[in-house]
Amino acid sequence: MLTSSLPSLLLLLSLSSNFLNAALSDDGGGLFCSAPSVFETETASSSKPLYWKVTNPTLSPSHLQDLPGFTRSVYKGDHALITPESHVFSPLPGWTNTLGAYLITPAMGSHFVMYLAKMQENSKSGLPPNDVERFLFVVQGSATLTNASGAHHQLMVDSYAYLAPNSKHSLECDASATLVVFERRYSPLENHFTKQIVGSTDQQPLLEIPGEVCELRKLLPSSLPYDFNIHIMDFQPGEFLNVKEVHYNQHGLLLLEGQGIYRLADSWYPVQSGDAIWMAPFVPQWYAALGKTRTRYLLYKDVNRNPL
């Protein structure tokens, strides 16, 4: 076992060394996370809106942006990395003046969908199919959520809403907004019901993760009615997951800030803000944060249901 894993370990150490050397070099040559995109722009980035790189992705070195046929996107049977240069936007069914890019769908093997919705001027959401629950998270701009009772909620960047299955609601935008949306067919439990939730990340308490140094916030209740949760995970540079996870849950992930290395199965991927990841059940997974700014990612996880 030790002999067979040694080449992978040496590869990771070599990749991490090259990654950092490229970032510290004068000309920024080498890997995609080179100095111009990490260090030289750190001061300028601090004045940008929260999560601005999700909607303004860049590849570094910059010449890769126009390299014909180049993409970091990968699709395999048990995981996928979907990177911004391969997003395909088209009118979002049921929505008005809104473009959508589906990043994760059941065609991959998932039991949920994850997509980006780019709402334009005078845009409005549609409703999900019957018995489908919806989670919205704003990464750019703002929009107004209205429910069946007529109550209004202004959703700003870093705020979110959970909409129970078959609940009437609409989201309207006068200017522009970008949202990440999760939808799945609800798995009901007798005498347990979900309800609308509206909140923001900074309202949620930090939760201790035994054995880990990263920070966790849960955006939905952990109670039985809810069959999935959305986690916000924060890593400072150099921090990594202690546990090399293998479990029955599926994940859908959007990297909101930062960069690092994600292990999925036997592959090691450099990732950066704007990247989306699908993880099938039981795929080995692990993350380490690199660079000089924190990593923050948003993570879907199915919970509270027997896998049978």
Side-chain angles (χ1 to χ4, degrees), residues 49-230:
L50 193 63
Y51 310 147
W52 69 278
K53 278 195 172 183
V54 175
T55 53
N56 297 275
T58 58
L59 284 173
S60 181
S62 58
H63 64 265
L64 291 181
Q65 296 211 99
D66 298 316
L67 186 65
F70 176 81
T71 180
R72 292 184 296 111
S73 290
V74 174
Y75 170 66
K76 297 187 177 183
D78 57 5
H79 69 271
L81 170 65
I82 309 298
T83 57
E85 72 278 356
S86 57
H87 292 176
V88 177
F89 284 90
S90 59
L92 200 55
W95 298 49
T96 58
N97 295 333
T98 303
L99 298 176
Y102 283 91
L103 307 178
I104 299 173
T105 76
M108 291 177 168
S110 69
H111 58 232
F112 66 96
V113 298
M114 171 183 171
Y115 58 93
L116 293 176
K118 288 191 173 183
M119 304 187 75
Q120 302 171 61
E121 186 176 0
N122 298 322
S123 53
K124 185 176 182 179
S125 68
L127 289 172
N130 289 338
D131 302 325
V132 170
E133 54 193 335
R134 170 181 281 174
F135 181 90
L136 311 166
F137 186 93
V138 182
V139 296
Q140 178 269 321
S142 65
T144 302
L145 175 68
T146 305
N147 62 23
S149 65
H152 301 286
H153 300 275
Q154 189 73 12
L155 300 183
M156 313 292 290
V157 172
D158 212 31
S159 60
Y160 61 88
Y162 168 83
L163 291 313
N166 304 318
S167 61
K168 301 297 182 183
H169 64 273
S170 67
L171 192 70
E172 298 184 60
C173 179
D174 294 330
S176 70
T178 302
L179 304 90
V180 55
V181 183
F182 294 90
E183 295 172 349
R184 65 165 286 175
R185 195 164 298 280
Y186 182 61
S187 179
L189 288 178
E190 188 175 1
N191 298 322
H192 289 83
F193 306 97
T194 62
K195 61 181 181 179
Q196 176 182 293
I197 295 173
V198 177
S200 63
T201 298
D202 59 7
Q203 294 174 341
Q204 304 310 311
L206 288 173
L207 302 176
E208 183 179 356
I209 314 175
E212 300 287 0
V213 296
C214 57
E215 296 180 341
L216 165 67
R217 291 176 172 87
K218 293 185 178 182
L219 303 188
L220 295 180
S222 298
S223 53
L224 279 178
Y226 297 88
D227 57 3
F228 74 89
N229 213 315
I230 301 293

Side-chain angles (χ1 to χ4, degrees), residues 42 234-240 259 288-295:
E42 184 180 1
D234 289 344
F235 297 77
Q236 297 304 316
E239 292 182 347
F240 56 88
Q259 58 187 344
L290 301 178
K292 292 190 72 176
T293 59
R294 77 170 179 186
T295 287

Side-chain angles (χ1 to χ4, degrees), residues 209-287:
I209 314 175
E212 300 287 0
V213 296
C214 57
E215 296 180 341
L216 165 67
R217 291 176 172 87
K218 293 185 178 182
L219 303 188
L220 295 180
S222 298
S223 53
L224 279 178
Y226 297 88
D227 57 3
F228 74 89
N229 213 315
I230 301 293
H231 295 180
I232 296 289
M233 305 285 292
D234 289 344
F235 297 77
Q236 297 304 316
E239 292 182 347
F240 56 88
L241 288 170
N242 259 331
V243 176
K244 283 63 70 179
E245 295 186 348
V246 178
H247 50 60
Y248 77 92
N249 316 80
Q250 295 192 27
H251 285 320
L253 181 153
L254 179 65
L255 204 69
L256 298 172
E257 295 179 321
Q259 58 187 344
I261 297 290
Y262 225 110
R263 177 192 173 173
L264 299 168
D266 293 325
S267 299
W268 306 78
Y269 300 102
V271 293
Q272 62 181 5
S273 49
D275 290 353
I277 297 174
W278 171 63
M279 292 171 252
F282 297 104
V283 62
Q285 55 196 259
W286 178 86
Y287 181 72

